Amino acid sequence: MDMNIRNVNASVYASSTVMQHQSTTVKEAGKETTTTSTQIKQDTFVASAQVASKNDADKVGYEKPKKLSAQQLQAISDQQMTSFKNMIQTMLGKQVKTLNKSLFEGISISAADKQAAIDAISPGGAWSPENVANNILNMAKALSGGDQSKIETLRNAVLKGFAAAEKTWGGKLPSITDETKEIIMKGFDEWANEGKETDTEDKKSVDVTA
């Protein structure tokens, strides 16, 4: 065996062809007939960028990732806010649909479905004002990446989500969504005040130390 085989790099494209000859002898009417067939097997190895060496990368024209421009970063941020707004609109729509199920019972809504809807919008339920509001606030904080300077941008995205939901449902939303909105806005205020309280405590610490 060629010892150089061990030095084959997985990042290099390669192929191997194996030919196998097979002979078959058939005895019929006192005569023997031999048939020979050839089978070709080809294996292809695909390059792996993860194991490519620096030299290999240079050969194929590797380039370091470029930093995103201010415009590109803004475009990403705008897309995130749009997705956030659309998600809020969808969540409010489901909340309204659940409320409607809790109010009616008939051909399309069974007694069991009605009760399930009542439970869902009741305190602690999946579509209660508290749970929907907390879910939206958690998404907002995740999008902010801990940057409180984005609070107003996220607050505006929430308001746009509510406005879009109102348009979808043809006017004013039911009181359950009003409660949800109040909890969200209060949550934004508390979040913003957390930063102010921290700044005040830091200033006091500096004054005492001085």
Side-chain angles (χ1 to χ4, degrees):
M1 178 183 293
D2 188 350
M3 298 300 292
N4 290 331
I5 291 178
R6 290 178 297 178
N7 297 325
V8 174
N9 192 317
S11 67
V12 179
Y13 286 93
S15 64
S16 63
T17 303
V18 178
M19 298 183 67
Q20 298 178 346
H21 297 278
Q22 183 177 3
S23 299
T24 304
T25 302
V26 179
K27 188 172 184 180
E28 184 179 358
K31 296 182 180 180
E32 291 185 354
T33 303
T34 300
T35 304
T36 301
S37 62
T38 301
Q39 181 178 2
I40 299 176
K41 181 180 179 181
Q42 185 176 29
D43 296 323
T44 302
F45 299 89
V46 179
S48 173
Q50 294 180 341
V51 298
S53 67
K54 184 178 184 301
N55 291 335
D56 291 333
D58 292 338
K59 291 177 182 177
V60 296
Y62 173 80
E63 293 182 3
K64 291 183 179 179
K66 296 180 180 178
K67 291 184 178 180
L68 296 176
S69 66
Q71 281 185 323
Q72 289 172 319
L73 290 173
Q74 186 60 49
I76 292 173
S77 178
D78 291 344
Q79 180 59 46
Q80 288 177 332
M81 292 303 107
T82 299
S83 297
F84 183 44
K85 183 207 73 174
N86 291 340
M87 187 170 291
I88 292 169
Q89 180 184 358
T90 300
M91 291 177 70
L92 294 175
K94 289 183 178 180
Q95 189 181 47
V96 173
K97 286 180 180 179
T98 305
L99 173 66
N100 289 341
K101 281 185 179 181
S102 72
L103 298 174
F104 301 101
E105 180 182 341
I107 298 174
S108 60
I109 301 175
S110 65
D113 288 341
K114 177 180 179 178
Q115 186 57 51
I118 292 173
D119 294 339
I121 62 173
S122 298
W127 296 106
S128 65
E130 295 81 9
N131 271 346
V132 174
N134 286 334
N135 286 335
I136 291 173
L137 284 169
N138 287 335
M139 284 189 292
K141 290 181 179 180
L143 279 173
S144 75
D147 185 357
Q148 289 184 314
S149 67
K150 295 181 179 179
I151 290 178
E152 290 310 309
T153 300
L154 290 161
R155 191 197 298 267
N156 288 334
V158 169
L159 293 175
K160 288 179 180 178
F162 272 84
E166 287 179 356
K167 188 175 181 180
T168 299
W169 290 91
K172 185 173 175 57
L173 294 171
S175 60
I176 190 172
T177 58
D178 289 336
E179 292 177 40
T180 302
K181 185 177 180 181
E182 287 177 8
I183 296 172
I184 295 171
M185 294 301 115
K186 184 179 179 181
F188 276 126
D189 291 338
E190 291 174 352
W191 182 15
N193 288 331
E194 287 175 6
K196 293 177 181 178
E197 291 173 0
T198 301
D199 290 341
T200 302
E201 290 175 1
D202 290 342
K203 288 179 181 178
K204 288 181 179 179
S205 298
V206 172
D207 293 339
V208 171
T209 305

